[in-house]
Amino acid sequence: MLAFVVRNHALAAVRKPSPRLRRGWALVRVRLAGICNTDAEILRGYHAFHGTPGHEFVGEVVDVRGAGSREKNNWLGRRVAGEINIACAALGFRRPCEFCRRRLKTHCERRKVLGIVAHDGAFAEFLALPIENLHAIPNTVTDEEAVFVEPLAAACEIVAQLRASAFRKAAVLGDGKLAQLIAMVVASAGVPVVMFGKHSEKLALARRNGSKTMLVRDNATNLKSSAMGERFPLVVEATGSPRGLAFAIALTEPRGTLVLKSTFHGTAPIESWPLVVNEITILGSRCGPFAKAIAMLRAKLLDPRHLITRTFPLSEATKAMKFAQRKSVLKVLLKP
Amino acid sequence: MLAFVVRNHALAAVRKPSPRLRRGWALVRVRLAGICNTDAEILRGYHAFHGTPGHEFVGEVVDVRGAGSREKNNWLGRRVAGEINIACAALGFRRPCEFCRRRLKTHCERRKVLGIVAHDGAFAEFLALPIENLHAIPNTVTDEEAVFVEPLAAACEIVAQLRASAFRKAAVLGDGKLAQLIAMVVASAGVPVVMFGKHSEKLALARRNGSKTMLVRDNATNLKSSAMGERFPLVVEATGSPRGLAFAIALTEPRGTLVLKSTFHGTAPIESWPLVVNEITILGSRCGPFAKAIAMLRAKLLDPRHLITRTFPLSEATKAMKFAQRKSVLKVLLKP
């Protein structure tokens, strides 16, 4: 099959055999894959990952190994999205780690992660995942919607971790694709959203989706002005930059909650005493509930297709990856 | 009266009139005052405070203004501790700020803070506080215990903010006086505590109070070794240094909770992505419930007097303040 791998900080095309299946695993033919900022991080060398990236996809189950015939029938031919963390049981360990025992499989100590940690991902014609990771996509949800299930689930994690609807307003920092999904999800919980971003076109999109917006020219200036200005009981940091954190802290009101979504690698200088004096809660937030994301798409509570800037054929993945890193670009898809 | 004020980064003795009382306020004769790390911060110039520091005290009510005779009788002659945040109503504002309306008086937007923000504190013969800030000290609690009510309440805030007893173990970072109180409070909730500190004598004290301890030589080395070692579901950062935060993050297990107690001013470089990947919750935690602290002392659940290194007469406050900043010293008291 055609697949792409990380080589010299870029994607390189290779030919290799389709993945072999363990018992309880499924072979998935990728229909669409999405490019995420984490993929750019991987190209920069983080996670020391040299396989096939790609963790956002919608695909079709074409083979299943070691399942009963009823389960096999249930999955073969189904369109699916897939959870990306592969935990103890699916990896063949008989004794689960502490976190699997506590049903925190996304924090499994031995986990492999689709397209991120030690397991080949979706920038290929086929991928393999444990059946337990799969979620069927309803017929009324298109491929272009379903490819957003993984990042949309990550956005939904915020609502899952706290009673978001209890907040009277929220600030979302960042105007990229994850920030846009977060703004949609928070707004769908009935919370008015103000998005702070640096790109006027992206902010215009957020306004069309119902958010207020604020153009940020420079974090330092804004830090000062925000000290005098509006603060928020709920702030979501999704700038994709380590420098967003200080601004996010300054925007959070006393006893407020700050949700961190950026996984950008790098350090930023932080003063911790305002967290203490204002008794702010910071919540790190990563992967989220796929079922919830699929239910939102099925109910047409939001439409992530506005975020698609362009779809490339898989064969042009190298070019697509470069295109995805331009400032004005939101979601870029690959179609095998 | 004799009082001390901040002058040239040190305490200077002055003679000044006793504080004048607003309606609903009490005049308190200070019996004992405690020196806190925040006082050292104030001498360094933080909070731009130039009045009389001191926010830990036990005293006796000697005058009350604008209260009914029954309430007056109730307070006159009583030994008291006092909450340090003075909010809208006590400052004479008819319309409460947003935080007072929400009963978050410790976050009042107009607040003055005893010995810290715009209101003279306890390094003096007398201080003034609103009656609503006072808590009576039971006869069975000595002055040497009662002077710890304020920092003990701050330690109790951790237990108030989260169900601490649900955690199977906890790490306390720091071995200073606040860290020692925190270790006692967390242990009294039935949670085994490991204290990480740099001073073997102070750690020995913590062991006598029932904690396990770990001598930390250097944060950077420990960061590396902790990556291989034990992690904790509950970590309390009370090192009093901005550099404690990175070590605290590394010690916190996935989905764990990190409570920040240090209000040291200064920045430290932080990588935020481990907070996201491990979905860590950070809780800023400041002032706490006085009633709970007094109840613990009355029930003899812990004895903070072990922490007293030395008591100076108030007239020697300048010397006492310097003494308090020596590495081996824990709590220093002033007796007017």
Side-chain angles (χ1 to χ4, degrees):
Chain A
M1 67 172 186
L2 172 63
F4 284 78
V5 296
V6 179
R7 197 169 289 163
N8 298 327
H9 304 291
L11 290 180
V14 294
R15 283 270 155 202
K16 62 178 182 183
S18 299
R20 287 176 56 186
L21 296 185
R22 292 170 169 275
R23 288 181 60 80
W25 284 55
L27 185 68
V28 177
R29 188 174 62 73
V30 177
R31 292 167 64 95
L32 270 180
I35 296 178
C36 165
N37 285 348
T38 300
D39 300 317
E41 292 280 297
I42 286 170
L43 291 193
R44 274 194 279 276
Y46 295 113
H47 300 291
F49 182 68
H50 299 288
T52 297
H55 57 276
E56 301 177 1
F57 74 93
V58 55
E60 184 187 333
V61 177
V62 293
D63 195 8
V64 167
R65 207 185 138 214
S69 57
R70 188 153 160 259
E71 187 161 20
K72 212 162 180 165
N73 278 338
N74 186 29
W75 286 110
L76 279 174
R78 285 298 277 275
R79 280 192 313 142
V80 293
E83 297 195 40
I84 68 177
N85 296 283
I86 304 163
C88 286
L91 293 171
F93 291 99
R94 288 202 185 166
R95 307 190 84 196
C97 73
E98 185 194 329
F99 292 90
C100 283
R101 262 202 315 275
R102 288 159 59 191
R103 314 231 171 145
L104 296 171
K105 284 166 63 171
T106 58
H107 293 283
C108 168
E109 288 172 353
R110 298 152 169 155
R111 72 181 178 277
K112 298 182 176 183
V113 186
L114 182 75
I116 300 176
V117 180
H119 186 69
D120 285 335
F123 298 168
E125 289 178 278
F126 297 92
L127 60 82
L129 270 181
I131 296 171
E132 67 176 22
N133 286 40
L134 301 181
H135 292 258
I137 301 298
N139 290 337
T140 53
V141 175
T142 66
D143 283 352
E144 283 71 21
E145 292 169 306
V147 73
F148 283 95
V149 165
E150 196 278 338
L152 183 57
C156 289
E157 179 73 352
I158 296 168
V159 184
Q161 285 175 301
L162 38 89
R163 287 199 312 131
S165 58
F167 292 92
R168 68 186 187 290
K169 59 180 179 175
V172 173
L173 270 62
D175 52 17
K177 38 202 180 289
L178 181 56
Q180 300 273 352
L181 288 173
I182 289 167
M184 290 185 211
V185 168
V186 173
S188 79
V191 183
V193 171
V194 182
M195 176 180 282
F196 291 75
K198 291 185 173 176
H199 309 93
S200 49
E201 288 161 41
K202 294 181 180 176
L203 293 177
L205 176 66
R207 280 196 298 277
R208 284 199 295 280
N209 288 324
S211 292
K212 288 187 184 178
T213 63
M214 189 80 88
L215 188 65
V216 175
R217 293 200 186 281
D218 155 34
N219 279 341
T221 320
N222 274 275
L223 265 174
K224 274 176 205 145
S225 65
S226 72
M228 311 297 295
E230 192 179 6
R231 290 191 292 184
F232 294 80
L234 175 61
V235 175
V236 183
E237 202 292 304
T239 61
S241 153
R243 308 214 159 265
L245 184 52
F247 184 38
I249 291 171
L251 269 184
T252 310
E253 71 175 31
R255 290 279 176 106
T257 299
L258 165 53
V259 179
L260 297 188
K261 274 292 183 187
S262 292
T263 53
F264 193 96
H265 288 65
T267 62
I270 293 300
E271 283 209 300
S272 57
W273 68 266
L275 299 174
V276 178
V277 169
N278 292 326
E279 298 195 318
I280 288 170
T281 299
I282 296 186
L283 216 55
S285 176
R286 186 175 28 114
C287 298
F290 273 51
K292 167 85 179 161
I294 293 168
M296 289 188 82
L297 291 173
R298 185 172 45 208
K300 309 296 173 197
L301 292 180
L302 52 82
D303 188 348
R305 290 174 295 188
H306 300 302
L307 303 180
I308 302 172
T309 305
R310 195 164 151 192
T311 301
F312 289 79
L314 174 63
S315 58
E316 296 179 14
T318 310
K319 192 169 128 193
M321 190 72 217
K322 281 182 195 146
F323 179 78
Q325 289 169 77
R326 290 192 197 168
K327 278 206 180 301
S328 58
V329 171
L330 286 164
K331 185 59 76 184
V332 174
L333 301 179
L334 298 174
K335 193 174 173 59
Chain B
M1 67 172 186
L2 173 63
F4 283 78
V5 295
V6 180
R7 197 169 289 162
N8 298 325
H9 304 293
L11 290 179
V14 294
R15 284 269 154 200
K16 62 178 182 182
S18 300
R20 287 175 56 184
L21 297 185
R22 292 170 169 275
R23 287 181 61 80
W25 285 55
L27 185 69
V28 176
R29 188 174 61 74
V30 178
R31 292 168 64 95
L32 271 180
I35 296 178
C36 166
N37 284 349
T38 300
D39 300 317
E41 292 279 298
I42 286 170
L43 291 193
R44 274 195 279 276
Y46 295 115
H47 302 290
F49 182 68
H50 299 290
T52 297
H55 56 278
E56 301 178 1
F57 74 94
V58 55
E60 183 187 333
V61 177
V62 293
D63 195 8
V64 167
R65 206 184 140 213
S69 58
R70 189 154 158 256
E71 187 160 20
K72 213 162 180 168
N73 278 339
N74 186 32
W75 287 109
L76 279 175
R78 286 298 275 277
R79 280 193 312 143
V80 293
E83 298 195 40
I84 68 177
N85 296 283
I86 304 163
C88 286
L91 293 171
F93 291 99
R94 289 202 184 164
R95 307 189 83 195
C97 73
E98 184 194 330
F99 292 90
C100 283
R101 263 203 313 276
R102 288 158 60 192
R103 312 230 173 146
L104 296 171
K105 283 166 63 172
T106 58
H107 292 284
C108 169
E109 289 173 353
R110 298 155 170 153
R111 72 182 179 275
K112 297 182 174 182
V113 186
L114 182 75
I116 300 176
V117 179
H119 186 69
D120 285 335
F123 298 168
E125 288 177 278
F126 297 92
L127 60 82
L129 271 181
I131 296 171
E132 66 176 25
N133 285 41
L134 301 182
H135 291 259
I137 301 297
N139 290 336
T140 54
V141 174
T142 66
D143 283 351
E144 284 70 21
E145 293 170 305
V147 73
F148 283 96
V149 166
E150 196 278 338
L152 183 58
C156 289
E157 179 74 352
I158 296 168
V159 184
Q161 285 175 301
L162 37 88
R163 287 198 313 130
S165 59
F167 291 92
R168 68 186 187 288
K169 59 180 179 175
V172 173
L173 270 61
D175 53 16
K177 38 200 180 289
L178 181 57
Q180 301 275 351
L181 288 172
I182 290 166
M184 290 185 212
V185 167
V186 173
S188 79
V191 182
V193 170
V194 182
M195 177 180 283
F196 291 75
K198 292 185 171 175
H199 309 94
S200 48
E201 289 161 41
K202 294 181 181 178
L203 293 176
L205 175 66
R207 281 196 298 278
R208 284 199 294 280
N209 288 325
S211 293
K212 289 188 183 177
T213 63
M214 189 80 89
L215 188 65
V216 174
R217 292 198 188 281
D218 157 36
N219 279 341
T221 321
N222 274 275
L223 265 175
K224 273 174 205 146
S225 65
S226 72
M228 312 298 293
E230 192 179 8
R231 289 189 294 184
F232 294 80
L234 175 61
V235 175
V236 183
E237 201 292 304
T239 60
S241 153
R243 310 216 157 264
L245 184 53
F247 184 39
I249 291 171
L251 270 184
T252 310
E253 71 175 30
R255 291 277 176 108
T257 299
L258 165 53
V259 179
L260 297 188
K261 273 291 183 188
S262 293
T263 53
F264 192 96
H265 288 65
T267 61
I270 294 300
E271 283 210 300
S272 58
W273 68 266
L275 299 174
V276 178
V277 169
N278 292 326
E279 298 194 317
I280 288 171
T281 299
I282 297 186
L283 217 55
S285 176
R286 185 173 31 112
C287 297
F290 273 51
K292 166 87 178 157
I294 293 168
M296 290 188 81
L297 292 173
R298 186 173 43 210
K300 308 297 173 196
L301 292 180
L302 52 81
D303 188 348
R305 290 173 295 187
H306 300 302
L307 303 180
I308 302 172
T309 305
R310 194 165 152 191
T311 302
F312 288 79
L314 174 63
S315 57
E316 294 179 15
T318 310
K319 194 170 128 193
M321 191 72 217
K322 281 182 195 147
F323 180 78
Q325 288 170 76
R326 290 193 198 166
K327 277 204 182 304
S328 58
V329 171
L330 285 164
K331 185 58 77 186
V332 174
L333 302 180
L334 297 175
K335 194 172 172 60

